[in-house]
Amino acid sequence: MKPCVPGRAIELAATCFAALITLLLPSLSLAAPVELKLAFFTSEQSDTFRFGVKPFVDAVNAEGQGLVSIKVYSDGKLGKNVAEQAQMVLTGVADIAWGVPGQTPYRFPDNEVLEIPGLFRDVREGSLVYTRLVASGALRGYDSFFVIGAFASAPSIIHSRKPIRSIADFRGLKIRTNNTMEAETLGRFGAIPTVMPASMLADALAKGTVDAAVVSPTGLFQFGAAGSAKNHFLLAIGTAPLLVVMNRQRFEQLPDSVKALIRKYSGDQAATTWNKFFGASERASLDKIRSDPTRTAVEPSPADRKTAQDIYAALLQGWAAKAPRNARTLAAIEAQLA
């Protein structure tokens, strides 16, 4: 019987251990958490992030620990252009991104109807209808995306450098708008509208590039325009649809457990959180505008409200008459509102 040689035993053990690691590597690789990049074009301190993105990220990361990790790239680290956020998701620059569909009407053509003033009274109505239209496949442009959140702002109002007492004062004013439907509305009021990302709003007002802006109450403070715009005409112009989207192909490639987790905190769940907290933010911001003695807040007269409602109704009817699909979409919206 040969004596045991310690060096030989160690060598054999090392060889066996190396072989074991080689066999386990595929399993270890599969067990690593899935990493997803989320792009956000502005600060994490904004209410849109705090109530539209953070609850989803926190919930998925907490419950999916060891399965999935969402990393946020805020302040435009992956791209500052608001209009390019959805494209960044499609090209793989980001897996998930916050977007403003009104900045890319060619990509989401049916969103026009959601932007027509007078359709929704508040955040809750706009967000729930939008969420359900997306879920039912009623809107074009969404096939390449998995929609995590479909939200709406409160109806926007007019914030101006100059006093506005009535709709007649709109004539000739250069006014920033969220989207093309708001621009068409303001054009019918006699204003000179321009569609502009909210991120450019403060600079445009401060420099006098625009005289006024259409934005929700929260947006006035969130995007730094409150210092330049001290006059407020409280006519509801329209809600701004907002999105959190993921590349659908990337979503379908995820493990079933991760897909289930993302679905759990998307759709109605995301809308419920948004409605509760962002809705409260919009109401508080409007109260702040009304109560601030350094600001002038003007309620439209009954005659101005009637003029506005007639224009809104004409826009809605005109949009529905353009195509049978439009009429069906409007009927779906009216059914949801009912």
Side-chain angles (χ1 to χ4, degrees):
M1 181 175 177
K2 294 182 178 181
C4 177
V5 181
R8 177 62 176 163
I10 292 171
E11 183 180 338
L12 286 171
T15 302
C16 291
F17 182 74
L20 180 62
I21 290 297
T22 301
L23 289 171
L24 289 176
L25 273 176
S27 298
L28 293 172
S29 176
L30 287 174
V34 174
E35 294 187 0
L36 300 174
K37 296 180 293 184
L38 188 149
F40 191 71
F41 74 99
T42 188
S43 167
E44 291 185 31
Q45 301 307 310
S46 66
D47 282 0
T48 46
F49 181 87
R50 290 169 58 219
F51 306 134
V53 176
K54 191 175 187 298
F56 168 79
V57 172
D58 288 351
V60 171
N61 281 349
E63 190 170 331
Q65 192 169 8
L67 293 175
V68 61
S69 175
I70 301 174
K71 183 175 180 180
V72 175
Y73 294 82
S74 57
D75 296 306
K77 290 184 179 70
L78 297 182
K80 289 183 178 292
N81 190 330
V82 179
E84 292 298 320
Q85 301 300 301
Q87 184 63 25
M88 283 168 28
V89 167
L90 293 180
T91 57
V93 174
D95 299 302
I96 305 169
W98 174 274
V100 183
Q103 298 294 315
T104 52
Y106 55 87
R107 190 183 296 282
F108 305 104
D110 293 335
N111 269 53
E112 282 186 342
V113 67
L114 302 173
E115 300 162 355
I116 294 175
L119 194 59
F120 304 121
R121 293 175 297 180
D122 53 28
V123 169
R124 179 178 178 276
E125 282 190 353
S127 297
L128 291 181
V129 169
Y130 190 15
T131 295
R132 290 165 187 175
L133 288 175
V134 169
S136 68
L139 303 176
R140 289 174 294 169
Y142 292 84
D143 291 347
S144 298
F145 302 100
F146 175 83
V147 177
I148 291 167
F151 309 133
S153 70
S156 298
I157 52 180
I158 306 287
H159 312 279
S160 177
R161 291 160 50 95
K162 305 175 181 180
I164 298 177
R165 298 292 177 186
S166 71
I167 285 177
D169 292 336
F170 287 6
R171 187 161 297 280
L173 283 185
K174 295 176 290 184
I175 303 181
R176 176 267 174 190
T177 68
N178 291 298
N179 48 62
T180 55
M181 294 309 294
E182 285 183 359
E184 185 171 345
T185 302
L186 290 167
R188 296 193 183 196
F189 287 143
I192 304 169
T194 179
V195 176
M196 180 187 295
S199 55
M200 298 172 61
L201 177 57
D203 190 56
L205 278 168
K207 292 180 177 178
T209 306
V210 295
D211 302 306
V214 174
V215 68
S216 77
T218 294
L220 174 74
F221 299 101
Q222 177 172 294
F223 294 105
S228 299
K230 297 282 190 176
N231 300 281
H232 313 275
F233 191 65
L234 307 183
L235 177 68
I237 298 296
T239 61
L242 306 163
L243 276 175
V244 182
V245 292
M246 182 174 186
N247 184 306
R248 184 175 291 279
Q249 185 175 7
R250 177 76 170 110
F251 175 79
E252 294 298 343
Q253 292 170 347
L254 295 173
D256 288 344
S257 57
V258 176
K259 285 192 287 188
L261 192 56
I262 289 174
R263 284 194 181 99
K264 179 178 178 179
Y265 293 105
S266 299
D268 279 347
Q269 177 61 41
T272 297
T273 302
W274 173 263
N275 293 342
K276 179 178 179 180
F277 295 105
F278 193 78
S281 174
E282 292 279 34
R283 292 189 295 273
S285 296
L286 184 56
D287 289 343
K288 184 176 179 180
I289 288 168
R290 284 178 164 145
S291 63
D292 187 341
T294 69
R295 300 183 180 279
T296 301
V298 176
E299 293 282 355
S301 68
D304 275 348
R305 290 191 185 279
K306 176 66 166 56
T307 297
Q309 290 302 323
D310 288 346
I311 288 174
Y312 300 166
L315 282 169
L316 199 58
Q317 292 165 9
W319 184 86
K322 286 180 182 179
R325 178 187 181 87
N326 290 10
R328 291 194 297 271
T329 302
L330 180 56
I333 291 172
E334 291 171 340
Q336 289 287 348
L337 289 172

